Amino acid sequence: MTFRTRFAPSPTGPLHLGHAYSALIAFRQAQAKKGAFLLRIEDIDQSRSRPHWEEQIYDDLQWLGIKWQRPVMRQSDRASAYKSALNQLTDMGLTYPCTCSRADIQAAASAPQEGVPQFGPDGRIYPGTCREKTFDLQDAAPVVRLNMHKALQRISPPEFDEFGPLYRGTHQLDPDHLQSHVGDIILVRRGMASSYHLSVVVDDAAQHISQVTRGADLWEATQIHVVLQTLLGLPIPRFYHHDLIRDAAGKRLAKRDDARAIATYRDAGAAPQDILNLIGL
Ligand code: GLU
Ligand code: ZN
């Protein structure tokens, strides 16, 4: 199988040093393995995405010497693919509409118990209030969730292979961990064609991605993706979680720190090599 990896930025702001690091790691691996490097514009959140940021993504990547296969996939073109994945999960009886407000969730989840986490990779862990709701509500519901408990009963705990430096090896998903630390994730929000988790697995499969390259901050999200891939009968790619770059004081660089936007360095007269030096590549 040819090696195919991708960089999947959201056009909701400028690319930063951390993005440059991620894109270059993926691009260099594709080159070394004579594989393909793809770009995907994750503009699923149309309320925050701007064409102008998308243009700047192309400019910045080109300036860094990165080349990608065309055509570029854009999530805003893919609503029907997400809809059929959602229908597939609904037909399996694994989804339910949720009408809880943020405040409802917080109230139901209060009285924190020791050792039980309140937040997971998908935000506050959902207490399950709407789990028994029926489907006629689906179209009107603010969100549709995955019933994680039922979902995990449908599959045997899948494995995935990790090739990054931090977690290298084969990992088997732990159903207890997924229920207590992740819970009933959101699949679709009203006004958006899909959640991040659903769109990313549908798109990685559609782009025949053999290795998902991403930051270690998405390690928990990856476990959600492996569950969805298994439920949907999609191939499970290999994964490569890279470390996160840090500033001189050892603090993780935030993704949204405009002082570290690539464009800010470019405008100040930096050369691409200066960026490589800054990120240690
Ligand atoms: N759009 C996501 C981000 O920029 C994609 C990450 C991924 O799935 O690898 O964080
Ligand atoms: Zn609810």
mmCIF file of all heavy atoms in Angstrom, residues 6 8-10 42 196 200 213-214 218 255, ligand 1:
data_model
loop_
_atom_site.group_PDB
_atom_site.id
_atom_site.type_symbol
_atom_site.label_atom_id
_atom_site.label_comp_id
_atom_site.label_asym_id
_atom_site.label_seq_id
_atom_site.Cartn_x
_atom_site.Cartn_y
_atom_site.Cartn_z
ATOM 1 N N ARG A 6 -1.544 13.274 5.536
ATOM 2 C CA ARG A 6 -2.223 14.549 5.243
ATOM 3 C C ARG A 6 -1.963 15.575 6.339
ATOM 4 O O ARG A 6 -1.564 15.254 7.456
ATOM 5 C CB ARG A 6 -3.701 14.331 5.009
ATOM 6 C CG ARG A 6 -4.613 13.638 6.030
ATOM 7 C CD ARG A 6 -4.276 13.678 7.418
ATOM 8 N NE ARG A 6 -5.357 13.301 8.307
ATOM 9 C CZ ARG A 6 -5.579 13.874 9.504
ATOM 10 N NH1 ARG A 6 -4.790 14.822 9.942
ATOM 11 N NH2 ARG A 6 -6.553 13.475 10.281
ATOM 12 N N ALA A 8 -4.358 18.737 7.917
ATOM 13 C CA ALA A 8 -5.787 19.074 7.854
ATOM 14 C C ALA A 8 -6.115 20.315 8.689
ATOM 15 O O ALA A 8 -6.785 20.224 9.711
ATOM 16 C CB ALA A 8 -6.611 17.871 8.327
ATOM 17 N N PRO A 9 -5.652 21.476 8.274
ATOM 18 C CA PRO A 9 -5.892 22.683 9.072
ATOM 19 C C PRO A 9 -7.318 23.223 8.911
ATOM 20 O O PRO A 9 -7.988 22.956 7.922
ATOM 21 C CB PRO A 9 -4.894 23.682 8.483
ATOM 22 C CG PRO A 9 -4.771 23.276 7.047
ATOM 23 C CD PRO A 9 -4.900 21.774 7.034
ATOM 24 N N SER A 10 -7.750 23.969 9.909
ATOM 25 C CA SER A 10 -9.031 24.674 9.835
ATOM 26 C C SER A 10 -8.760 26.137 9.478
ATOM 27 O O SER A 10 -7.938 26.777 10.137
ATOM 28 C CB SER A 10 -9.740 24.612 11.191
ATOM 29 O OG SER A 10 -9.945 23.272 11.555
ATOM 30 N N GLU A 42 -10.310 21.907 6.678
ATOM 31 C CA GLU A 42 -11.361 21.508 7.618
ATOM 32 C C GLU A 42 -12.235 22.715 7.958
ATOM 33 O O GLU A 42 -12.186 23.248 9.059
ATOM 34 C CB GLU A 42 -10.744 20.839 8.848
ATOM 35 C CG GLU A 42 -9.972 19.585 8.440
ATOM 36 C CD GLU A 42 -10.086 18.405 9.394
ATOM 37 O OE1 GLU A 42 -10.033 18.616 10.604
ATOM 38 O OE2 GLU A 42 -10.221 17.271 8.894
ATOM 39 N N TYR A 196 -16.353 17.446 14.253
ATOM 40 C CA TYR A 196 -14.959 17.169 13.873
ATOM 41 C C TYR A 196 -14.694 15.665 13.785
ATOM 42 O O TYR A 196 -14.126 15.180 12.804
ATOM 43 C CB TYR A 196 -14.019 17.840 14.900
ATOM 44 C CG TYR A 196 -12.641 17.248 14.939
ATOM 45 C CD1 TYR A 196 -11.790 17.347 13.835
ATOM 46 C CD2 TYR A 196 -12.196 16.548 16.056
ATOM 47 C CE1 TYR A 196 -10.530 16.776 13.855
ATOM 48 C CE2 TYR A 196 -10.935 15.983 16.080
ATOM 49 C CZ TYR A 196 -10.106 16.087 14.984
ATOM 50 O OH TYR A 196 -8.876 15.508 15.002
ATOM 51 N N VAL A 200 -13.732 13.800 10.220
ATOM 52 C CA VAL A 200 -12.335 13.417 10.047
ATOM 53 C C VAL A 200 -12.203 11.932 9.649
ATOM 54 O O VAL A 200 -11.408 11.579 8.775
ATOM 55 C CB VAL A 200 -11.550 13.805 11.332
ATOM 56 C CG1 VAL A 200 -11.172 12.631 12.177
ATOM 57 C CG2 VAL A 200 -10.365 14.644 11.012
ATOM 58 N N THR A 213 -1.179 11.786 10.575
ATOM 59 C CA THR A 213 -0.100 12.460 11.288
ATOM 60 C C THR A 213 -0.714 13.662 11.997
ATOM 61 O O THR A 213 -1.352 14.501 11.356
ATOM 62 C CB THR A 213 0.971 12.935 10.284
ATOM 63 O OG1 THR A 213 1.343 11.831 9.449
ATOM 64 C CG2 THR A 213 2.194 13.480 11.003
ATOM 65 N N ARG A 214 -0.538 13.727 13.311
ATOM 66 C CA ARG A 214 -1.143 14.836 14.069
ATOM 67 C C ARG A 214 -0.437 14.982 15.409
ATOM 68 O O ARG A 214 0.351 14.130 15.804
ATOM 69 C CB ARG A 214 -2.637 14.583 14.262
ATOM 70 C CG ARG A 214 -2.968 13.286 14.973
ATOM 71 C CD ARG A 214 -4.390 13.266 15.525
ATOM 72 N NE ARG A 214 -5.421 13.400 14.515
ATOM 73 C CZ ARG A 214 -6.423 12.542 14.334
ATOM 74 N NH1 ARG A 214 -6.513 11.470 15.105
ATOM 75 N NH2 ARG A 214 -7.333 12.752 13.414
ATOM 76 N N LEU A 218 -4.039 15.353 20.253
ATOM 77 C CA LEU A 218 -5.225 14.674 19.722
ATOM 78 C C LEU A 218 -5.229 13.171 20.022
ATOM 79 O O LEU A 218 -6.022 12.423 19.456
ATOM 80 C CB LEU A 218 -5.349 14.939 18.220
ATOM 81 C CG LEU A 218 -5.707 16.397 17.885
ATOM 82 C CD1 LEU A 218 -5.620 16.658 16.386
ATOM 83 C CD2 LEU A 218 -7.104 16.748 18.390
ATOM 84 N N LYS A 255 -1.948 26.840 19.809
ATOM 85 C CA LYS A 255 -2.176 26.905 18.365
ATOM 86 C C LYS A 255 -2.553 28.317 17.961
ATOM 87 O O LYS A 255 -2.217 28.779 16.891
ATOM 88 C CB LYS A 255 -3.291 25.943 17.969
ATOM 89 C CG LYS A 255 -2.772 24.553 17.702
ATOM 90 C CD LYS A 255 -3.833 23.712 17.005
ATOM 91 C CE LYS A 255 -3.375 22.258 16.910
ATOM 92 N NZ LYS A 255 -4.500 21.336 16.864
HETATM 93 N N1 GLU B 1 -8.592 20.482 11.858
HETATM 94 C C1 GLU B 1 -7.946 19.767 12.916
HETATM 95 C C2 GLU B 1 -6.922 20.663 13.585
HETATM 96 O O1 GLU B 1 -6.441 21.590 12.961
HETATM 97 C C3 GLU B 1 -7.351 18.505 12.315
HETATM 98 C C4 GLU B 1 -6.452 17.727 13.131
HETATM 99 C C5 GLU B 1 -6.421 16.249 12.719
HETATM 100 O O2 GLU B 1 -7.451 15.618 12.651
HETATM 101 O O3 GLU B 1 -5.329 15.746 12.487
HETATM 102 O O4 GLU B 1 -6.617 20.505 14.761
#
